[in-house]
Amino acid sequence: MKWKPGQHCFLRFTSFGLQALSSHPFTICSLPSVRSDECSDLVFYIRHGGGLTRKLYDYVQQRPGTLLPVLIDGPYGGVNMQRYNDGDRLLVIAGGSGAGWMLPMIELFCRHRSTNAAEEQNQEMIAEDAEKQAVRSHDNNYRSGPQSLRVVLATRDATSRIWFLKTLSDLLSTHSSVHASAGLDVQIYLTRAAEQTAGVSTKVAGVMVSRASASSSDNIEIKAEGNKTNIPGQEIGGRPDLPLIVHEEGMLAAEGGYSLNVFVCGPDTMQNDVRNAAAKENLGILKGSKSGGVYLHPEHFSWA
């Protein structure tokens, strides 16, 4: 089974106590393995609330390590992979539980960057002379995938903040190449209760989150289980200024002659702000004040 970022499945739990006759939509938060000889893990991050998710949470809490049979229908939807791969600059925005929806796109970006770095190294090794090597170093035609990814997450829940950073830290740790996170910029906006933790070191469930050393203040440092990972980016208190963020990325894309692809998953207010901002950027292009274009993919929040 193969799937792509942003796709969803209907899960039907076969256990008698977990509404066996009803199906529930959840977002796939992983990517299939790139190796044909490896099994692919279909990962769902389910935040418990009421109804089924509360029953599921209580069930596994009472039975740690239990295996629970489930029927899967899907996948459905997902992002346009041609648009993702063709975008020079990517802007991925999410609110709340949309955090899990972002993870496959971040992982795919890291895969692209690692592949590009390996290809560049191989090109250098097979270069016949210094002149050809210099030409190849300026030729980007063989590069695949986007060159930069800006991640913007808004969350009001302190626990979700720790979970996302720990999960992202684990994801980046699987891509040991220093090139994997090059071009990645993660911005986490903390609102309401989570805002109280902005800019300060926080330890929850054995995970320590803090700003990295002063010499690299644009990193978020994650310490867990004796390991340390630096996530390129910042934590910021308050709501994100989405029109400004889209405009900033639009200006950078226009200055470099790049394309900008925007993906958003969140409540209606967030999607409307991003949609209007993307339309404004495209209107500026039509009027001749900018070059390039802005592609927008909105994802309905209820699927995240």
Side-chain angles (χ1 to χ4, degrees), residues 9-258:
C9 289
F10 283 96
L11 302 187
R12 178 176 294 177
F13 296 91
T14 59
S15 172
F16 176 78
L18 289 170
Q19 303 178 7
L21 298 180
S22 61
S23 296
H24 301 265
F26 295 101
T27 302
I28 303 173
C29 300
S30 61
L31 288 179
S33 173
V34 294
R35 296 179 54 180
S36 59
D37 59 341
E38 287 185 349
C39 293
S40 297
D41 293 328
L42 195 63
V43 178
F44 300 90
Y45 290 108
I46 301 174
R47 182 177 180 178
H48 66 275
L52 171 82
T53 55
R54 169 55 67 177
K55 291 182 180 180
L56 181 60
Y57 176 78
D58 292 340
Y59 186 91
V60 297
Q61 286 293 104
Q62 296 167 10
R63 303 168 180 81
T66 187
L67 297 178
L68 187 63
V70 61
L71 299 178
I72 300 177
D73 180 13
Y76 299 103
V79 304
N80 185 317
M81 290 305 298
Q82 189 66 43
R83 289 287 190 175
Y84 182 98
N85 292 327
D86 289 346
D88 298 308
R89 300 184 66 88
L90 299 182
L91 173 60
V92 179
I93 302 170
S97 58
W101 172 83
M102 310 171 92
L103 293 172
M105 284 187 276
I106 299 174
E107 182 174 4
L108 185 59
F109 176 80
C110 291
R111 285 185 180 181
H112 278 312
R113 297 300 292 170
S114 296
T115 300
N116 287 341
E119 289 179 351
E120 289 178 5
Q121 184 177 14
N122 185 56
Q123 290 290 336
E124 292 177 357
M125 292 176 62
I126 65 174
E128 297 178 1
D129 51 52
E131 182 179 356
K132 289 185 178 181
Q133 182 172 330
V135 171
R136 286 188 176 121
S137 69
H138 290 86
D139 182 8
N140 294 326
N141 292 330
Y142 66 89
R143 295 182 181 179
S144 62
Q147 300 303 306
S148 71
L149 169 60
R150 183 175 180 178
V151 174
V152 176
L153 172 65
T155 180
R156 63 186 181 185
D157 182 67
T159 303
S160 296
R161 168 213 179 200
I162 299 296
W163 164 80
F164 178 74
L165 287 171
K166 174 61 169 61
T167 306
L168 183 54
S169 171
D170 293 341
L171 187 158
L172 294 179
S173 296
T174 63
H175 298 274
S176 57
S177 169
V178 295
H179 303 283
S181 59
L184 176 64
D185 182 17
V186 178
Q187 295 180 328
I188 302 180
Y189 288 81
L190 307 175
T191 64
R192 299 190 185 183
E195 188 172 6
Q196 300 175 7
T197 65
V200 298
S201 297
T202 307
K203 186 173 184 178
V204 177
V207 179
M208 174 67 76
V209 177
S210 60
R211 176 175 292 182
S213 62
S215 60
S216 56
S217 58
D218 286 341
N219 283 321
I220 306 169
E221 187 176 86
I222 309 297
K223 294 181 180 179
E225 302 172 353
N227 297 318
K228 182 177 71 173
T229 304
N230 285 335
I231 298 176
Q234 292 180 313
E235 291 189 297
I236 305 166
R239 292 178 176 273
D241 188 338
L242 296 176
L244 177 60
I245 290 172
V246 174
H247 178 65
E248 289 175 347
E249 289 300 308
M251 292 297 294
L252 289 172
E255 290 172 1
Y258 302 131

Side-chain angles (χ1 to χ4, degrees), residues 266-283:
D268 290 341
T269 53
M270 171 177 279
Q271 293 204 38
N272 288 338
D273 286 346
V274 175
R275 186 180 293 110
N276 291 336
K280 185 177 180 180
E281 293 303 305
N282 279 324
L283 183 60

